[in-house]
Amino acid sequence: MRLRPTPRGWALAAAGVVALQLGVSLGSLDLVRAGVLLLVLVGVALAAVALGDPARGRRRLDVVRDVSPNPVHAGDEAQVRVDVRAADGAGRARLAGLRFAEQAAVELSGGRPLRARVRRAADHVAVTYPVRTTQRGRWPLGPLVVSRTDVFGVVRARTTLGRESEVAVWPAVTALPAPSDVLVGEPDRVALGARTPSTDDANLRDYREGDDLRRVHWRSSARRGALLVRSDERAGMRPVTVLLDLPVRQSTAEWTISLAASVALAMLDGGHPVRLVGAGIAAGRGAVGASAFVHARGGPEARAALLDMTIDLEPARSSAEADAHLLDAARLLHTADGGEIVIAVLGALSGPARAALAHVGDSAHGWALVQTDGRHAGDTRDAQHTQAALVRAGWRVAGATAGEDPVACWLRLLGSTR
């Protein structure tokens, strides 16, 4: 708690000191008494305000803060409600004279004061206000700052109530078209078409190389004159790994994370099990980790699980560190089975990183968006070298510019060829 006199209190204290000095020098008992009374008034007010601290003691006030939604996407708005409740009659009396202010990280307030609506009732006060998130991460909110004065307006006290809350901010994402046939329609080296039996065999599709003949719908095939197989879009879908290569520049890193998250969600909506691989994911800061595959049947919980992995990602501190993380990720992906799809969101890579990532295509189906921020000619040249190396290794590759519309990048990748 922070106590200090108001301007009125300072004036009374100064008047008391002057009156006391004049009374002593002039030998006036009345002036001495007046000075002492003024000083005592300020002292008693200080003591009274200190003893009435609403954050301590049996008559303290309870604070409950609720943020909805939490987590929230960057750029979206969340509503905050803070309830301050008193447990006894004395507490309810103290509520009437309190003024409230909320503290928030600049990433939640935008550097502007929060505009709150205060509603008072007999036994509680409700403070509600919106926050607009500006950046991905975890940002503090609170505690509640309470200001109060004594009955004479001589002393002002500021104290905090409740605990600090945390608002988790997911990256901004863009809805991308789910690639129902572009990524899953190719014949591959494993029995992709040998989908597991399912009770949901409601759809028929054309026969593809590798499909299990036991799933052929012979009656429909005879009518059409072409082989048709029962299709369950949710069963036997290829697993997808989304690889993030985080650049050094913060703004470019945020765009990369947003694009990768959008791609992961699009593949999840398409029915694929999806995981994220990159520096800091599920393995702590500075480490390369791979989350377990998140399955599409999890619904909103699966989307939240993927987005939660992106909250704490941080850009690499140097280009050498970024390359080291990518080399570790490439070694990890060499163990992928032949049916896995790897979708990489990359920057311009060094020679060793290009070679390591190219070999991932030997055991998985590689798709890559190679981006540059377009600020330096060298970035564009290195990005072109990266694209050429991956294309030679059998990857499908498309270029992108940092800050570009994610939908345009995604459609360009889906339209690319080997």
Side-chain angles (χ1 to χ4, degrees), residues 141-165:
L141 187 64
L144 188 68
V145 178
V146 177
S147 301
R148 59 199 174 91
T149 60
D150 65 293
V151 294
F152 300 107
V154 174
V155 175
R156 178 181 292 112
R158 294 187 64 187
T159 189
T160 57
L161 292 179
R163 296 182 179 179
E164 187 178 272
S165 301

Side-chain angles (χ1 to χ4, degrees), residues 286-412:
V288 172
S291 65
F293 281 102
V294 175
H295 291 268
R297 60 177 173 269
E301 294 78 9
R303 294 175 63 90
L306 277 175
L307 291 169
D308 286 344
M309 299 171 196
T310 66
I311 294 177
D312 300 314
L313 295 179
E314 295 186 12
R317 287 169 290 191
S318 65
S319 298
E321 181 181 355
D323 279 349
H325 289 323
L326 192 61
L327 289 172
D328 290 339
R331 285 191 288 269
L332 180 68
L333 293 176
H334 279 184
T335 61
D337 63 47
E340 185 172 341
I341 301 169
V342 176
I343 303 178
V345 182
L346 308 169
L349 305 180
S350 64
R354 290 197 297 265
L357 197 59
H359 288 304
V360 173
D362 297 338
S363 57
H365 299 268
W367 297 67
L369 276 167
V370 181
Q371 64 85 19
T372 175
D373 60 13
R375 297 188 181 184
H376 305 287
D379 294 337
T380 303
R381 183 175 58 255
D382 292 342
Q384 291 173 346
H385 291 166
T386 299
Q387 293 183 50
L390 293 178
V391 169
R392 287 195 298 270
W395 285 61
R396 292 184 180 269
V397 181
T401 302
E404 187 180 1
D405 178 23
V407 175
C409 299
W410 181 237
L411 294 179
R412 189 182 306 124

Side-chain angles (χ1 to χ4, degrees), residues 244-309:
L244 291 85
D245 172 34
L246 291 183
V248 177
R249 186 176 290 113
Q250 178 71 40
S251 59
T252 307
E254 292 303 321
W255 180 85
T256 301
I257 293 171
S258 294
L259 177 59
S262 299
V263 170
L265 294 180
M267 300 306 295
L268 190 69
D269 293 340
H272 296 267
V274 180
R275 67 173 176 174
L276 295 176
V277 172
I281 297 178
R285 179 178 175 180
V288 172
S291 65
F293 281 102
V294 175
H295 291 268
R297 60 177 173 269
E301 294 78 9
R303 294 175 63 90
L306 277 175
L307 291 169
D308 286 344
M309 299 171 196

Side-chain angles (χ1 to χ4, degrees), residues 225-241:
L227 286 179
L228 299 175
V229 296
R230 294 186 298 270
S231 173
D232 173 18
E233 293 301 329
R234 296 174 298 171
M237 299 296 285
R238 288 183 189 174
V240 174
T241 295

